[in-house]
Amino acid sequence: MSIRLGIIADDFTGATDIASFIALSGWQVIQLNGITDRSIDITHADAVVISLKSRSCPVNEAKRLTREACEWLQSQGCQRIYFKYCSTFDSGPAGNIGPVTDLLLELTQSPMAVLCPALPVNGRTVVHGHLFVNGQLLNESGMQNHPLTPMTDANLLRVMEQQASGQCGLVSLDHVRTGRQAVTHQLNALQQQNKRYAVLDAMTDEDLKVLAAAIPENLLLTGGSGLAGALAFLAPETRNVTDICTPGTEGKCLVLAGSSSTMTNRQVAFYRQYAPSLSINVERALHDKTAYLDELVSWYLSQSDSLAPMVYATRPADEVKVIQQRYGAEAAGIAIESLIAALARQLTHHGVNKIIVAGGETSSLLVQHLGVNGFAIGQSIAPGVPWVKDVSRNMWLALKSGNFGDERFFIKAQELFNE
């Protein structure tokens, strides 16, 4: 057995995101939801992705989960470790990207970590160490309003040094465009300057391929799914592992939206024009969950439209702030996520076997409630968002990071159902 990449993802949507990009090159990818179930066969996997719920939890908890995942991957003979976080570098002033990276440097004995969140196909680019989202600086893209990890600085060198224990250097776009040798030379120069981290500029998929070919194997890989996809592209397999992984029309479908990102707001507004939709009442989610859950189940079962009914907590940023001020950000978030997860679990007893979910935190809790231990990666709905199938039953999920996909995403996901 030789697993080329062992990937530790800090949330569930990020895990399916990176798994889908690697699978495009014919790699056999297995996604595990934690490492509690040791019965899943990974002997033929080219890459194993372990999805954690560690993006916004306390730092010590994130480090504990990461240590367990890394040590297990190393025990399975993984050739390289890759720390996957969001392409918008979602983190708070104290972490968790910096502290987790420091831990992985220790566990892998790597001399330096590369930081590469760039994902050009989804509009995430890095220039002069600054992260852009669809041409806008990160802190002007809407991410500054994220309820859990507001990103108020686009300078990744500065953000990383605030979180982590060392200094950060840059591999500039000039180095990348000069070619592979220039990138390798700059990485070596940064190590000689005692830099502990290196931010990698990238604007195109070709830039990512240059970087993937140039990074020495002893460096720790961290970033979004773009760099991992480029690594797989450089060593493709001829088999196609995703053709048959498309949901069928049997059973029922449900749409759940917990993210309040800019794109999810647009997706919810668009979908509401065509499908039955119901907004979550936060007051009742907090104080009347049992009765409210029964009402939501009854509402879903009473719908008969061809498109799946949607239950959503998605709101514009100003409304989110009002809710957080009234109920508390943590209390409101937990109540909404637990309600959505409980609703999904209840509806699986009523024939629901396809669930489309928007939001990383929402997805992770929902998967835990459903008792899903691992996924096979299916057909992509949008870049970074595939349908995934529970390895132990006929349950399909589309787990979407908040800002991924276009306005028609919820409809596109259902258009892929295989007759």
Side-chain angles (χ1 to χ4, degrees), residues 167 169-170 186-196:
Q167 293 185 321
L170 175 68
Q186 175 64 0
L187 288 170
N188 290 333
L190 292 176
Q191 290 182 63
Q192 292 171 8
Q193 297 166 25
N194 294 318
K195 302 295 186 184
R196 192 164 168 83

Side-chain angles (χ1 to χ4, degrees), residues 211-235:
L211 290 167
I215 299 170
E217 290 193 3
N218 66 331
L219 299 192
L220 174 65
L221 302 170
T222 85
S225 55
L227 179 62
L231 286 166
F233 178 86
L234 294 178

Side-chain angles (χ1 to χ4, degrees), residues 244-254 344 347-355 370-376 378 387-398 417-418:
I244 63 171
C245 292
T246 306
T249 55
E250 72 284 353
K252 300 176 182 177
C253 184
L254 168 67
L347 288 176
T348 60
H349 301 304
H350 295 276
V352 170
N353 66 341
K354 298 177 285 289
I355 306 176
L370 292 179
V372 180
N373 293 318
F375 294 126
W387 275 108
V388 296
K389 184 180 182 297
D390 186 338
V391 294
S392 61
R393 57 181 163 164
N394 186 33
M395 171 64 65
W396 295 83
L397 299 172
F417 294 167
N418 185 25

Side-chain angles (χ1 to χ4, degrees), residues 278-354:
L278 191 64
S279 176
I280 288 176
N281 183 312
V282 180
E283 175 78 26
R284 295 199 65 191
L286 278 161
H287 303 300
D288 190 24
K289 178 181 173 181
T290 301
Y292 189 34
L293 178 60
D294 290 341
E295 292 178 23
L296 292 177
V297 170
S298 297
W299 175 83
Y300 175 89
L301 295 175
S302 69
Q303 306 305 314
S304 58
D305 289 57
S306 58
L307 286 173
M310 173 175 67
V311 177
Y312 65 97
T314 303
R315 290 172 173 82
D318 55 347
E319 293 184 25
V320 172
K321 288 180 180 178
V322 171
I323 290 171
Q324 291 177 336
Q325 290 170 356
R326 180 178 302 171
Y327 302 109
E330 183 176 2
I334 291 173
I336 290 169
E337 290 169 11
S338 62
L339 177 70
I340 288 176
L343 177 61
R345 183 174 57 190
Q346 289 273 53
L347 288 176
T348 60
H349 301 304
H350 295 276
V352 170
N353 66 341
K354 298 177 285 289

Side-chain angles (χ1 to χ4, degrees), residues 42-59:
I42 64 169
T43 55
H44 301 292
D46 298 301
V48 175
V49 184
I50 297 179
S51 52
L52 303 177
K53 186 175 168 61
S54 60
R55 176 169 297 172
S56 56
C57 68
V59 170

Side-chain angles (χ1 to χ4, degrees), residues 253-258 271 308-311 340 352 354-358 363 366 381 385 387 396-400 409-415 417:
C253 184
L254 168 67
V255 177
L256 297 167
Y271 193 70
M310 173 175 67
V311 177
I340 288 176
V352 170
K354 298 177 285 289
I355 306 176
I356 303 165
V357 190
S363 296
L366 181 145
I381 305 161
V385 194
W387 275 108
W396 295 83
L397 299 172
L399 306 173
K400 186 190 84 69
F409 176 84
F410 297 139
I411 294 176
K412 285 181 176 179
Q414 295 171 64
E415 290 174 343
F417 294 167

